[in-house]
């Protein structure tokens, strides 16, 4: 029997890739240089839950990334305005070894694929195979000290980004996590998606993914990570403190003033389905919030 | 061309955006969030038609065109535009009730109570219905001078429609502010005309 590529590649991955390429060709995305080379990664078997993946055509074209524009189509349309050459991530603050990492250094960390649910505060959701590494792996390299109670994430600030000409948000985009949330095994730094490196509109070259929190907590295009003693203010908390709290855990029982959070609409579908507590990661993360009133700590 | 044919053609023209949505629906061209697409499109067209309805009187006062020569009487033009606004508003409501609320009365009531922008949208749409019902010449005759007073409700409901949109937006208020600006200009005309 002759071996063909199908025999070598995991069939599931093979099919996903075919579907991905199909989607890319259909939308004219293929051939654009920012979809760089395929990444070297393994599938983490603990995070291959059998969920129906979102059509990449949707996940790569329907984005909230206000640096590239406020409409859902803007980030894809303006993707070339984001320059990722020579990207570095600075980690500083309460730690023994503050460091600046080049993207190459970060890509040398073992890259794994994880299928996660992703839930936006606006009531839509998707299921995406991310590629990257746990944030804890990176943070342990700088040796956080005992004063490091919180982690602040700071995204790119660049006057060439079309969305940053307007102060719709307090730029640069800032987000934060409590130290134990940041060190949680689910908290992930993504460098790729659907088997490829991260496209610009999805937050290239490196972004955070916190699957049990609303999507806006998952900062895109991160340039700096600060270990701090006090709870940081996120850009959304500055914009509308009554609507956006620090925790922003997916919680079907606590509604946002504009969106009931009880249900969600998976991208591509017409009808809604029930939202799960902590976006389905209750077993893993509920203990982080033991004894806390999640209505107050929204 | 007989008047009725002209009116039918004009109505058909006003319905084109709805046909575009049907085409997109059938060809899977509604994007990643099809329901949001339908809601935004029908909401935008409702506001466009309300604003167009409000431009008829200023056009009349400033340019004094002979509507009969080009189309049909001014009040008929205005009526078709106003009824089109109602048609898009009803499509907007239907999309929301079917796909967002899953036709659940409980969920809809909760949504109206919890979210001011939904309540405001509902009020705006409710106000539009009596205007549509009394848009005919028969009702105009029967209501006499009250007809004009009643139909001034369009000012309020257009404003509420724009407010409904502005309250929904997360951070970028540009588009609702453009609508508000156009509405403001149209209202200024009316203040100046009356003086």
């Amino acid at each position: 029997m002759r071996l063909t590529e199908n025999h070598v590649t995991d069939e599931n991955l093979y099919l996903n890739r075919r579907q991905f390429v199909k989607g890319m060709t259909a939308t004219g995305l293929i051939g654009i240089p920012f979809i760089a080379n395929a990444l070297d990664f393994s599938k983490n078997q603990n995070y291959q839950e059998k969920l129906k993946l979102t059509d990449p055509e949707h996940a790569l074209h329907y984005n909230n990334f206000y640096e590239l524009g406020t409409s859902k189509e803007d980030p894809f349309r303006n993707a070339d305005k984001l320059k990722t050459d020579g990207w570095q991530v600075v980690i500083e603050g309460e730690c023994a070894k503050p460091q600046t990492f080049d993207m190459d250094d970060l890509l040398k960390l073992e890259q794994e694929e994880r299928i996660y649910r992703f839930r936006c505060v606006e009531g839509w959701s998707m299921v995406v195979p991310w590629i990257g590494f746990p944030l804890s792996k990176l943070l342990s390299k700088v040796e956080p000290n005992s004063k490091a109670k919180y982690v602040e994430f700071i995204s790119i600030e660049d006057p060439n980004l079309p969305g940053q000409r307007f102060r719709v948000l307090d730029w640069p985009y800032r987000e934060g996590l409590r130290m134990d949330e940041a060190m949680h095994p689910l908290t992930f730094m993504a460098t790729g998606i659907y088997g490829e490196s991260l496209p610009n509109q999805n937050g290239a070259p490196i972004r955070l993914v916190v699957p049990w929190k609303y999507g806006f907590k998952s900062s895109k295009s991160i340039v700096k990570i600060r270990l701090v003693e006090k709870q940081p203010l996120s850009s959304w908390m500055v914009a509308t403190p009554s609507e956006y709290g620090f925790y922003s855990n997916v919680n079907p029982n606590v509604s946002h003033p504009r969106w009931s959070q009880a249900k969600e609409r998976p991208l591509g579908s017409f009808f809604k389905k029930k939202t799960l507590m902590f976006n389905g990661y209750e077993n893993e993360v509920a203990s982080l919030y033991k004894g806390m009133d999640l209505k107050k700590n929204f | 061309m007989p008047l009725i044919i002209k009116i039918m053609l004009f109505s058909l023209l006003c319905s084109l955006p709805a046909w575009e949505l049907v085409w997109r629906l059938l060809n899977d061209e509604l994007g990643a969030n099809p329901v949001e697409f339908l809601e935004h499109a029908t909401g935008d067209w409702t506001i466009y038609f309300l604003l167009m309805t409000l431009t008829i009187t200023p056009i009349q006062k400033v340019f004094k065109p002979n509507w009969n020569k080009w189309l049909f009487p001014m009040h008929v033009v205005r009526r078709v535009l106003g009824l089109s606004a109602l048609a898009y508003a009803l499509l907007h409501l239907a999309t929301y009730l079917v796909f967002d609320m899953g036709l659940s009365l409980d969920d809809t009531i909760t949504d109206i109570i919890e979210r001011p922008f939904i309540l405001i949208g509902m009020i705006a749409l409710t106000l539009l219905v009596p205007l549509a019902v009394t848009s005919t010449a028969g009702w105009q005759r029967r209501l006499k001078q009250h007809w004009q007073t009643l139909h001034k409700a369009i000012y309020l409901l257009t404003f509420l429609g724009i407010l409904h949109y502005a309250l929904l937006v997360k951070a970028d208020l540009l588009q609702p502010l453009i609508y508000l600006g156009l509405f403001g200009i149209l209202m200024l005309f009316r203040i100046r005309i009356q003086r």
Side-chain angles (χ1 to χ4, degrees), chain A residues 32 36 40 43 87 90 98 124-125 132 141 177 185 212 219-220 280:
Chain A
I32 294 174
D40 238 342
K43 283 165 170 271
W87 196 275
V90 176
W124 54 268
S125 66
K141 285 193 182 294
L177 292 175
W212 71 92
S219 290
K220 298 186 176 84

Side-chain angles (χ1 to χ4, degrees), chain B residues 116-137:
Chain B
F117 86 94
I118 297 287
L119 175 66
I120 289 168
M122 293 283 184
I123 294 172
L125 178 49
T126 310
L127 282 173
L128 193 50
V129 174
L131 304 199
V133 171
T134 62
S135 67
T136 58

Side-chain angles (χ1 to χ4, degrees), chain B residues 67-131:
Chain B
W67 297 90
N68 278 317
K69 194 172 160 196
W70 304 107
L71 278 164
F72 30 77
M74 182 190 83
H75 67 273
V76 182
V77 179
R78 200 164 47 191
R79 188 195 304 163
V80 174
L81 292 173
L83 288 173
S84 299
L86 177 68
Y88 285 98
L90 290 173
L91 285 175
H92 185 67
L93 177 72
T95 313
Y96 162 81
L97 290 178
V98 175
F99 297 115
D100 271 341
M101 295 297 115
L103 287 175
S104 151
L105 188 62
D106 281 359
D107 284 1
T108 310
I109 291 169
T110 312
D111 215 32
I112 293 172
I113 294 169
E114 282 189 4
R115 272 160 272 283
F117 86 94
I118 297 287
L119 175 66
I120 289 168
M122 293 283 184
I123 294 172
L125 178 49
T126 310
L127 282 173
L128 193 50
V129 174
L131 304 199

Side-chain angles (χ1 to χ4, degrees), chain A residues 177-223:
Chain A
L177 292 175
R178 214 168 56 192
M179 196 65 191
D180 57 347
E181 296 177 323
M183 297 303 284
H184 193 279
L186 281 172
T187 306
F188 201 61
M189 293 300 281
T191 56
I193 186 171
Y194 293 104
E196 311 278 333
S197 56
L198 215 52
N200 286 4
Q201 68 272 21
N202 291 79
I206 188 160
R207 65 171 294 171
L208 181 67
V209 180
V210 194
W212 71 92
K213 292 178 180 278
Y214 293 119
F216 61 87
K217 293 295 283 185
S218 297
S219 290
K220 298 186 176 84
S221 303
I222 292 170
V223 295

Side-chain angles (χ1 to χ4, degrees), chain A residues 44-88:
Chain A
N44 185 327
Q45 291 310 319
N46 296 326
Y47 301 100
Q48 297 293 323
E49 208 181 330
K50 291 262 171 286
L51 296 164
K52 189 179 174 284
L53 292 186
T54 299
D55 185 341
E57 199 181 318
H58 296 328
L60 304 184
H61 289 79
Y62 186 87
N63 308 102
N64 275 327
F65 192 9
Y66 280 15
E67 285 83 342
L68 294 175
T70 51
S71 88
K72 295 288 191 295
E73 298 78 25
D74 285 342
F76 171 70
R77 202 183 299 134
N78 297 326
D80 61 333
K81 301 288 192 303
L82 173 63
K83 304 291 177 216
T84 58
D85 315 335
W87 196 275
Q88 292 182 319

Side-chain angles (χ1 to χ4, degrees), chain B residues 28-40:
Chain B
D28 198 15
E29 291 278 334
L30 290 169
N33 197 337
V35 176
E36 183 188 69
F37 193 105
L38 291 172
E39 283 173 347
H40 285 182

Side-chain angles (χ1 to χ4, degrees), chain A residues 28-291:
Chain A
L29 198 66
I30 213 159
I32 294 174
F34 59 75
I35 304 291
N37 25 13
L39 293 164
D40 238 342
F41 65 92
S42 62
K43 283 165 170 271
N44 185 327
Q45 291 310 319
N46 296 326
Y47 301 100
Q48 297 293 323
E49 208 181 330
K50 291 262 171 286
L51 296 164
K52 189 179 174 284
L53 292 186
T54 299
D55 185 341
E57 199 181 318
H58 296 328
L60 304 184
H61 289 79
Y62 186 87
N63 308 102
N64 275 327
F65 192 9
Y66 280 15
E67 285 83 342
L68 294 175
T70 51
S71 88
K72 295 288 191 295
E73 298 78 25
D74 285 342
F76 171 70
R77 202 183 299 134
N78 297 326
D80 61 333
K81 301 288 192 303
L82 173 63
K83 304 291 177 216
T84 58
D85 315 335
W87 196 275
Q88 292 182 319
V89 180
V90 176
I91 308 188
E92 60 178 32
E94 302 295 344
C95 58
K97 292 182 178 167
Q99 287 173 64
T100 298
F101 296 88
D102 290 327
M103 261 326 276
D104 288 347
D105 303 332
L106 298 173
L107 289 170
K108 271 180 208 139
L109 296 169
E110 193 195 335
Q111 307 285 309
E112 56 177 86
E113 186 195 69
R114 294 182 178 193
I115 294 170
Y116 276 167
R117 292 184 207 89
F118 186 95
R119 170 67 156 77
C120 177
V121 69
E122 296 165 352
W124 54 268
S125 66
M126 54 184 186
V127 175
V128 168
W130 301 107
I131 297 158
F133 51 87
L135 175 63
S136 60
K137 260 199 202 173
L138 182 58
L139 290 184
S140 58
K141 285 193 182 294
V142 299
E143 298 176 16
N145 64 35
S146 60
K147 279 183 168 173
K149 299 277 194 288
Y150 293 91
V151 185
E152 185 180 24
F153 301 89
I154 297 155
S155 295
I156 186 174
E157 184 165 28
D158 177 352
N160 295 319
L161 294 175
Q164 291 193 335
R165 284 181 214 140
F166 310 98
R167 277 214 99 67
V168 280
L169 284 175
D170 194 26
W171 305 122
Y173 192 85
R174 277 160 292 125
E175 256 307 338
L177 292 175
R178 214 168 56 192
M179 196 65 191
D180 57 347
E181 296 177 323
M183 297 303 284
H184 193 279
L186 281 172
T187 306
F188 201 61
M189 293 300 281
T191 56
I193 186 171
Y194 293 104
E196 311 278 333
S197 56
L198 215 52
N200 286 4
Q201 68 272 21
N202 291 79
I206 188 160
R207 65 171 294 171
L208 181 67
V209 180
V210 194
W212 71 92
K213 292 178 180 278
Y214 293 119
F216 61 87
K217 293 295 283 185
S218 297
S219 290
K220 298 186 176 84
S221 303
I222 292 170
V223 295
K224 193 182 278 187
I225 298 174
R226 267 198 212 130
L227 297 154
V228 292
E229 206 175 348
K230 287 197 179 124
Q231 182 175 299
L233 268 184
S234 71
S235 290
W236 278 110
M237 288 163 83
V238 173
T240 333
S242 58
E243 297 183 11
Y244 300 95
F246 178 77
Y247 287 96
S248 305
N249 292 314
V250 174
N251 188 340
N253 308 315
V254 177
S255 66
H256 179 278
R258 265 168 285 139
W259 306 283
S260 153
Q261 300 298 6
K263 290 177 185 168
E264 66 197 44
R265 176 178 293 117
L267 288 188
S269 73
F270 275 84
F271 290 97
K272 291 185 165 182
K273 59 171 199 162
K274 280 207 160 92
T275 287
L276 302 169
M277 187 64 199
F278 294 115
N279 204 24
Y281 301 98
E282 191 171 9
N283 289 340
E284 290 93 331
V285 301
S287 59
L288 295 173
Y289 310 102
K290 228 181 197 163

